[in-house]
């Protein structure tokens, strides 16, 4: 149906809005003499032609009906005279009725749309509420929520498990209904509007010890309530104990290396590895013998990792680094009150910590005769007695000992017990010094380079033949440890873009005149400094101390801080080195 609208005032505008877009009714033209009528720009916007004379419009646009929206009877009567008999002219009164119906329809549609939107929002809110309740119910933390009046509105199953209080005992009740000892933190937070954390309380009928975190619920600036999270102290204690046990394992019980980490194909090292592999298959005591820096600890790790005790503790102790009394208490433990400063409840010793696994005693040649006697008893009887105690404690420990000391000479001089020597020397394994297997140096050096690439952020891909020759010509009195330190120093001084370690990167490897530490001191310069009249000190003893301190510092730099190796190279005992270190550190 095609229509003509006469009049573009308010009524005509509403007719256009109602009819436009209708699938069965089209507006051919709008007639309006007033160009400022509200329907004129609307018709233009909708793409409907606008004329000022309805006579012209009737002759130009054939239509099925004329909608007279001016409300004037004279206009309606003239229109009835002008149109064809089959064209209907609908008066303004009738149109006002139609417009009223249209407006009611529009209002109804808008109301329905508003209700649909409201229903959709309510559904969304219910879904969010259900989701939040599901989240709170599924969390493992005990949670309670109260309203602004301090009455419970929500708890989760974890709360019931922890406190023993069911929802009907908490919901709608005052916030302090669950407090056995202490003040309700919900009430405090509602009063202060400030959160609290880690407040110790006792809750529920069983007076469970807990730690409480409570925070206010603020919507804008309006206080709606508070939410509390309750932590079980017993669970925290259990987790702390597990963490302490894990840290203990990380510190002392992990054997890191395997036989694959022992690099070399020379007959001497292959023989040592083969002996160690056979020893790993038995529970026998192993004595690792070799100079400092040859890799005795590496062998100890590998033996443990290949033995049937590999899943049990591996505990290492350096006998030379501890005083006699401290070493004894560390190895065998002590009872409460055994000595001044003893921990309350006593302490388990390393034999007990290593029970079921392996105990590695490094530098066993430095052990005092008293401690040797107790160690002998532990090996013979497979039991120990704590310091200050009388009750024997059974231990199941596989012992691996290591030393660079000539134990046979130590036995002959009375410094080492002969019976303990035979107990230890069940499976002796001699680890050759690096100077006896120089053919392994290229492979060992490249292994060290690859490891230091990660440590120092370098990208060294190879070692030049000149550098390899320099490394193999040197005798390496510090063995693999000294080789590692040397390569490490060389890589530190390389540029980031350099990929080949060459001879000029290596530190000076020429040894001194055979006197320990002779290559560590610029003798003429030091002597000139000491003998200058204005210099201090002037006395001979003070001069000697200055020289000692200079030599010790430089030797420690050369050995990468390894005190045992520094003492060996300087020809003094480790205890003397520690004593002199005290003088160095205290100056």
């Amino acid at each position: 149906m095609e229509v003509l609208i006469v009049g573009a005032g308010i009524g005509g505008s509403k007719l256009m809005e109602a009819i436009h877009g209708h699938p069965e009714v089209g507006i051919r033209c709008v007639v309006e003499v007033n160009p400022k009528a509200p329907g004129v720009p609307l018709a233009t916007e909708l793409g409907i032609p606008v004329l000022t004379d309805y006579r012209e419009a009737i002759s130009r646009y054939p239509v099925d009906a004329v909608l007279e929206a001016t409300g004037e009877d004279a206009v309606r009567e003239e229109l009835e005279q002008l149109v064809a008999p089959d064209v209907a002219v609908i008066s303004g009164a009738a149109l006002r009725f139609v417009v009223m119906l249209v407006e009611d329809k529009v209002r109804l549609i808008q109301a329905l749309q508003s209700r649909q939107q409201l229903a959709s929002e309510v559904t969304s809110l219910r879904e969010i509420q259900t989701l939040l309740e599901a989240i709170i119910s599924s969390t493992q933390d005990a949670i309670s929520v109260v309203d602004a009046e301090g009455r419970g509105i929500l708890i989760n199953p974890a709360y019931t498990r922890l406190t023993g209080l069911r929802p009907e005992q908490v919901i709608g009740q005052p916030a302090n209904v669950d407090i056995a000892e202490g003040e309700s933190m919900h009430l405090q937070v509602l009063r202060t509007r400030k959160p609290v954390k880690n407040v110790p309380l006792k809750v529920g009928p069983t007076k469970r010890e807990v730690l409480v975190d409570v925070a206010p619920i603020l919507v804008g600036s309006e206080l709606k309530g508070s939410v509390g999270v309750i932590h079980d102290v017993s669970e925290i204690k259990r987790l702390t104990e597990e963490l302490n046990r894990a840290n203990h394992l990380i510190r002392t019980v992990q054997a890191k290396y395997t036989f694959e980490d022992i690099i070399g194909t020379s007959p001497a090292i292959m023989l040592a590895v083969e002996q160690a592999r056979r020893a790993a298959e038995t529970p026998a005591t192993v004595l690792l013998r070799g100079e400092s820096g040859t890799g005795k600890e590496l062998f100890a790790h590998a033996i443990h990792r290949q033995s049937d005790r590999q899943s049990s503790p591996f505990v290492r102790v350096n006998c030379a680094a501890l005083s006699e009394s401290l070493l004894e208490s560390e190895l065998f433990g002590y009872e409460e009150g055994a000595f001044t400063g003893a921990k309350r409840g006593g302490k388990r010793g390393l034999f007990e910590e290593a029970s079921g696994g392996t105990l590695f005693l490094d530098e066993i040649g430095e052990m005092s005769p008293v401690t040797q006697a107790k160690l002998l008893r532990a090996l013979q009887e497979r039991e120990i007695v704590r310091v200050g105690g009388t009750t024997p404690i059974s231990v199941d420990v596989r012992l691996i000992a290591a030393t660079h000391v000539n134990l046979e000479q130590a036995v002959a001089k009375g410094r080492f017990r002969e019976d303990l020597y035979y107990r230890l020397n069940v499976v002796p394994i001699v680890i050759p010094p690096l100077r006896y297997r120089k053919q392994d140096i290229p492979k060992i050096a490249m292994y060290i380079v690859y490891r230091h690439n990660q440590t120092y952020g370098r990208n060294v891909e190879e070692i030049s033949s000149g550098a390899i020759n320099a490394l193999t010509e040197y005798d390496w009195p510090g063995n693999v440890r000294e080789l590692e330190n040397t390569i490490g120093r060389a890589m530190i001084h390389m540029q980031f873009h350099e990929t080949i370690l060459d001879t000029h990167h290596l530190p000076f490897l020429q040894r001194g005149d055979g006197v320990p530490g002779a290559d560590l001191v610029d003798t003429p310069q030091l002597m000139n400094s000491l003998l200058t009249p204005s210099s201090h000190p002037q006395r001979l003893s003070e001069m000697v101390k200055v020289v000692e301190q200079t030599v010790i510092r430089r030797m420690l730099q050369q050995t990468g801080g390894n005190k045992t190796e520094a003492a060996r190279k300087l020809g003094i005992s480790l205890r003397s080195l520690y004593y002199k270190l005290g003088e160095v550190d205290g100056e």
Side-chain angles (χ1 to χ4, degrees):
M1 175 183 286
E2 302 292 338
V3 299
L4 171 67
I5 297 177
V6 178
I10 296 175
S13 299
K14 291 182 178 179
L15 282 174
M16 278 187 278
E17 291 175 349
I19 296 174
H20 179 70
H22 195 283
E24 297 181 4
V25 181
I27 303 172
R28 294 299 305 275
C29 181
V30 172
V31 178
E32 176 57 59
V33 295
N34 181 9
K36 296 182 178 180
V40 173
L42 176 61
T44 304
E45 181 182 346
L46 297 178
I48 301 171
V50 179
L51 297 177
T52 59
D53 187 355
Y54 50 76
R55 299 175 186 83
E56 180 184 357
I58 291 172
S59 63
R60 184 184 298 185
Y61 299 104
V63 295
D64 299 304
V66 176
L67 307 180
E68 190 276 308
T70 64
E72 299 179 6
D73 292 338
V75 175
R76 176 183 57 78
E77 291 173 356
E78 188 174 358
L79 287 172
E80 290 176 345
Q81 296 295 323
L82 292 173
V83 299
D86 59 342
V87 177
V89 177
I90 302 174
S91 67
L95 286 175
R96 281 194 294 274
F97 178 72
V98 172
V99 168
M100 182 179 67
L101 293 178
V102 169
E103 289 177 344
D104 288 344
K105 178 182 177 182
V106 170
R107 283 194 295 269
L108 179 60
I109 291 173
Q110 289 175 344
L112 290 174
Q113 289 176 340
S114 177
R115 289 185 180 183
Q116 288 177 346
Q117 182 178 0
L118 181 60
S120 176
E121 290 176 355
V122 170
T123 302
S124 298
L125 288 174
R126 286 176 179 170
E127 290 177 351
I128 292 172
Q129 180 182 5
T130 302
L131 178 62
L132 289 175
E133 290 177 350
I135 292 172
I136 292 174
S137 296
S138 62
T139 183
Q140 297 302 307
D141 290 323
I143 295 175
S144 69
V145 184
V146 302
D147 60 18
E149 301 299 324
R151 295 193 173 274
I153 59 175
L154 179 65
I155 62 172
N156 65 347
Y159 174 92
T160 299
R161 289 194 299 270
L162 179 60
T163 65
L165 297 173
R166 300 183 301 276
E168 59 268 22
Q169 296 174 288
V170 178
I171 305 301
Q173 300 299 317
N176 58 3
V177 69
D178 58 355
I179 304 298
E181 291 184 15
E183 177 192 358
S184 170
M185 290 299 105
H186 277 301
L187 297 179
Q188 177 179 320
V189 168
L190 291 175
R191 189 169 57 251
T192 64
R193 292 192 170 203
K194 294 181 179 180
V196 295
K197 295 191 70 176
N198 296 328
V199 178
L201 294 174
K202 291 186 179 180
V203 297
T206 60
K207 297 185 178 181
R208 195 75 169 265
E209 291 187 42
V210 297
L211 292 177
V212 177
D213 300 337
V214 182
I217 302 173
L218 296 171
V219 179
S221 60
E222 185 179 358
L223 180 67
K224 293 292 187 179
S226 62
V227 57
V229 180
I230 307 170
H231 308 284
D232 186 359
V233 172
S234 61
E235 180 68 9
I236 295 174
K237 288 180 179 178
R238 184 186 66 80
L239 293 174
T240 301
E241 290 173 357
E242 286 187 6
L243 179 62
N244 290 336
R245 285 196 295 271
N247 288 336
H248 178 73
L249 287 174
I250 293 171
R251 286 195 307 268
T252 61
V253 184
Q254 288 186 342
K256 299 182 289 185
Y257 307 108
T258 66
F259 284 112
E260 283 65 36
D261 294 307
I262 301 174
I263 309 300
T265 56
S266 62
I269 196 66
M270 293 293 286
L271 175 61
V273 169
E274 179 60 29
Q275 290 175 331
R277 286 183 183 275
R278 288 199 301 267
E281 299 172 357
T282 73
T285 300
V286 177
L287 179 60
L288 300 173
R289 308 189 65 168
E291 298 177 5
S292 293
T294 53
K296 296 186 289 295
E297 184 172 348
L298 186 67
F299 271 79
H301 281 250
I303 292 170
H304 175 77
R305 286 286 295 272
Q306 190 153 317
S307 71
D308 56 3
R309 297 172 178 253
Q310 59 181 302
S311 58
S312 298
F314 175 84
V315 180
R316 173 193 178 277
V317 59
N318 189 325
C319 301
L322 302 175
S323 65
E324 177 182 339
S325 58
L326 183 57
L327 177 61
E328 184 179 1
S329 63
E330 284 293 314
L331 285 177
F332 306 109
Y334 55 81
E335 298 291 352
E336 181 177 345
F339 50 85
T340 302
K343 288 175 61 177
R344 188 173 182 179
K347 178 186 175 183
R348 285 160 54 93
L350 296 180
F351 263 95
E352 293 177 71
E353 296 285 354
S355 189
T358 302
L359 177 62
F360 174 48
L361 298 181
D362 198 6
E363 302 295 353
I364 198 170
E366 304 292 335
M367 187 177 288
S368 70
V370 174
T371 310
Q372 290 178 32
K374 296 197 71 170
L375 175 61
L376 178 62
R377 172 182 169 80
L379 294 177
Q380 288 177 334
E381 308 298 333
R382 304 184 72 83
E383 63 182 24
I384 57 98
V385 177
R386 292 182 179 179
V387 176
T390 57
T391 305
I393 300 173
S394 297
V395 290
D396 174 24
V397 173
R398 196 269 180 83
L399 186 69
I400 300 178
T403 184
H404 70 274
V405 173
N406 187 322
L407 290 183
E408 290 78 11
Q409 291 183 3
V411 169
K413 295 179 180 179
R415 294 199 306 266
F416 200 84
R417 293 181 63 106
E418 185 175 7
D419 45 6
L420 178 60
Y421 167 76
Y422 290 120
R423 280 285 178 183
L424 296 175
N425 201 38
V426 178
V427 182
I429 299 175
V430 177
I431 303 173
L434 192 56
R435 62 182 175 275
Y436 291 163
R437 55 184 190 110
K438 289 189 175 182
Q439 66 194 75
D440 294 331
I441 288 179
K443 288 184 178 179
I444 298 173
M446 280 309 304
Y447 177 83
I448 295 171
V449 163
Y450 291 145
R451 195 169 64 185
H452 284 343
N453 272 338
Q454 297 179 346
T455 305
Y456 299 138
R458 298 297 189 270
N459 189 31
V460 181
E461 298 175 355
E462 62 178 298
I463 304 174
S464 70
S465 57
I468 290 293
N469 290 336
L471 294 175
T472 52
E473 288 174 1
Y474 185 57
D475 282 340
W476 301 108
N479 295 294
V480 178
R481 184 181 292 119
E482 186 182 358
L483 174 63
E484 184 172 12
N485 292 338
T486 299
I487 293 176
R489 290 202 303 275
M491 292 180 66
I492 288 172
H493 291 97
M494 292 179 68
Q495 299 298 319
F496 289 99
H497 64 274
E498 292 182 296
T499 60
I500 300 177
L501 193 155
D502 209 343
T503 309
H504 67 275
H505 295 124
L506 296 173
F508 185 59
L509 296 176
Q510 180 66 40
R511 288 187 62 79
D513 58 3
V515 179
D519 56 334
L520 301 176
V521 182
D522 186 350
T523 305
Q525 180 178 348
L526 180 62
M527 291 303 296
N528 289 336
S529 173
L530 291 174
L531 296 177
T532 300
S534 61
S535 67
H536 296 281
Q538 295 292 328
R539 290 179 297 180
L540 178 61
S541 61
E542 294 176 339
M543 294 182 185
V544 170
K545 184 181 294 186
V546 170
V547 175
E548 279 188 344
Q549 292 171 352
T550 303
V551 170
I552 289 174
R553 284 196 190 94
R554 296 190 181 180
M555 180 61 79
L556 287 172
Q557 290 175 358
Q558 187 181 95
T559 61
N562 186 299
K563 298 179 178 63
T564 302
E565 179 65 11
R568 189 191 68 80
K569 286 186 173 184
L570 293 172
I572 61 176
S573 70
L574 188 59
R575 287 191 177 86
S576 296
L577 180 67
Y578 275 104
Y579 172 76
K580 294 179 184 297
L581 274 176
E583 293 183 348
V584 173
D585 295 339
E587 66 169 3

